[in-house]
Amino acid sequence: MNPYEAVRLVELDLRQLVRVVLGSSWLEAARAGGVVDVAKLEAKVNDERGRRPATVVSTDLIEYTEFTQLQALILEERWDAFAPALGKKKHIETYLSKIAGFRNPTMHARALLPFEEHLVLGISGELRNRIAIYRNTKEQSSMYYPVVDSITDNFGNTHDGVTNAIIQTGVRMGIGETVTFTCRATDPEDRQLHWRLCNNAAGHPDSQTDEATGNEVVLSYTFTRADVGERVPLLVTLRSSGEFHRLPGPSAWDATAMFHYAVNPPSGRR
């Protein structure tokens, strides 16, 4: 992992932590403390929608917050709520300050010195592990299983690891077209994570699968004639290299997400 990825993943994980700790009340807390301007966040959504007309743009305003706003919300507005997840405030203030200081150079491809790279990677790793362990605890799961951070298709449909594990995409595909998924997860014991993508329809010929290993991977599926239908269920499965899993058995897994698509029949054969 390079420093750019480390900083980006910390920012994404902090948003997930805010979702878990504060839920939908995060916006009220941020607005009350003057951390965010809702009108500006909504303007960012509209701007994103205008720049990406072929994508399902997220309307979740937390996706448009800046790192410094997350930092202020956690440390200044609601620290008591975040302390159980992050530990001592003095340490976290230092960590987030360091990440904020390195964020601009890494996001603009300016090289860090070797000791700075090691510092960024170390802070990122510790923060992400703390968040993963806390999420497992809060979500009534043991501390032995990996946690999905996000699974997003190339149209912008997202499973955020917290809610909506079945996503009705509303996307129509054609035979021969391909959908790709960017998958991210964190494991509290830093084990190898294995991902698999397939069509989960009963009786479907399970010949096409895509698999990859890592904390962040890209999977793809190309629709065929066998997929034609109005509800095509593509299943993403995650499992760690550990002995135990959330769902044990021959097809053991630690997390899943389902994305539904419609696949059009070929022209002239409707």
Side-chain angles (χ1 to χ4, degrees):
M1 183 183 298
N2 61 45
Y4 168 82
E5 292 170 334
V7 170
R8 183 175 64 86
L9 291 177
V10 165
E11 189 167 338
L12 292 172
D13 282 356
L14 287 176
R15 290 194 178 95
Q16 289 291 68
L17 180 62
V18 170
R19 289 187 179 103
V20 172
V21 173
L22 299 181
S24 60
S25 70
W26 79 268
L27 185 58
E28 179 183 349
R31 180 167 45 191
V35 173
V36 300
D37 183 325
V38 175
K40 289 183 178 179
L41 292 181
E42 292 174 341
K44 287 184 178 181
V45 176
N46 291 329
D47 180 61
E48 187 82 353
R49 189 178 287 121
R51 289 188 295 106
R52 304 175 66 191
T55 300
V56 180
V57 172
S58 172
T59 57
D60 186 353
L61 296 184
I62 198 171
E63 298 287 346
Y64 301 89
T65 54
E66 298 176 0
F67 184 86
T68 52
Q69 293 173 321
L70 296 171
Q71 187 178 9
L73 176 61
I74 291 169
L75 292 173
E76 299 171 19
E77 299 303 320
R78 290 292 187 273
W79 173 251
D80 287 347
F82 288 96
L86 297 175
K88 294 184 178 180
K89 186 176 184 180
K90 183 176 180 180
H91 292 168
I92 302 306
E93 283 178 327
T94 302
Y95 287 169
L96 295 185
S97 177
K98 289 290 185 183
I99 291 291
F102 289 128
R103 187 180 184 280
N104 280 342
T106 58
M107 293 298 174
H108 294 89
R110 294 195 292 271
L112 300 179
L113 294 175
F115 78 88
E116 293 176 316
E117 289 189 4
H118 290 303
L119 186 58
V120 169
L121 294 177
I123 291 174
S124 170
E126 180 173 340
L127 285 174
R128 296 186 66 225
N129 262 30
R130 285 175 183 251
I131 293 170
I133 290 171
Y134 179 77
R135 284 184 60 191
N136 268 322
T137 302
K138 291 298 290 182
E139 292 162 16
Q140 297 183 343
S141 176
S142 80
M143 295 168 58
Y144 295 104
Y145 308 123
V147 178
V148 170
D149 298 321
S150 65
I151 302 173
T152 304
D153 73 6
N154 55 294
F155 300 101
N157 297 291
T158 299
H159 165 46
D160 61 15
V162 180
T163 57
N164 66 313
I166 299 178
I167 297 91
Q168 307 293 342
T169 68
V171 174
R172 302 194 70 87
M173 304 292 291
I175 295 172
E177 292 184 332
T178 299
V179 61
T180 61
F181 297 87
T182 299
C183 311
R184 294 179 50 249
T186 307
D187 186 78
E189 296 186 16
D190 199 26
R191 292 166 296 199
Q192 198 171 62
L193 300 181
H194 184 77
W195 302 81
R196 184 175 185 269
L197 168 65
C198 68
N199 186 317
N200 196 54
H204 187 275
D206 194 19
S207 58
Q208 183 187 168
T209 61
D210 193 13
E211 301 183 57
T213 299
N215 291 82
E216 182 168 1
V217 304
V218 176
L219 303 172
S220 64
Y221 186 93
T222 300
F223 294 98
T224 69
R225 298 174 73 89
D227 296 313
V228 171
E230 289 302 300
R231 179 175 286 189
V232 181
L234 296 190
L235 178 68
V236 180
T237 304
L238 167 68
R239 61 177 289 165
S240 78
S241 59
E243 178 182 359
F244 303 101
H245 305 281
R246 278 193 179 90
L247 182 71
S251 302
W253 51 257
D254 293 304
T256 63
M258 185 87 75
F259 291 75
H260 286 163
Y261 301 87
V263 179
N264 299 325
S267 179
R269 294 177 179 257
R270 302 179 191 280

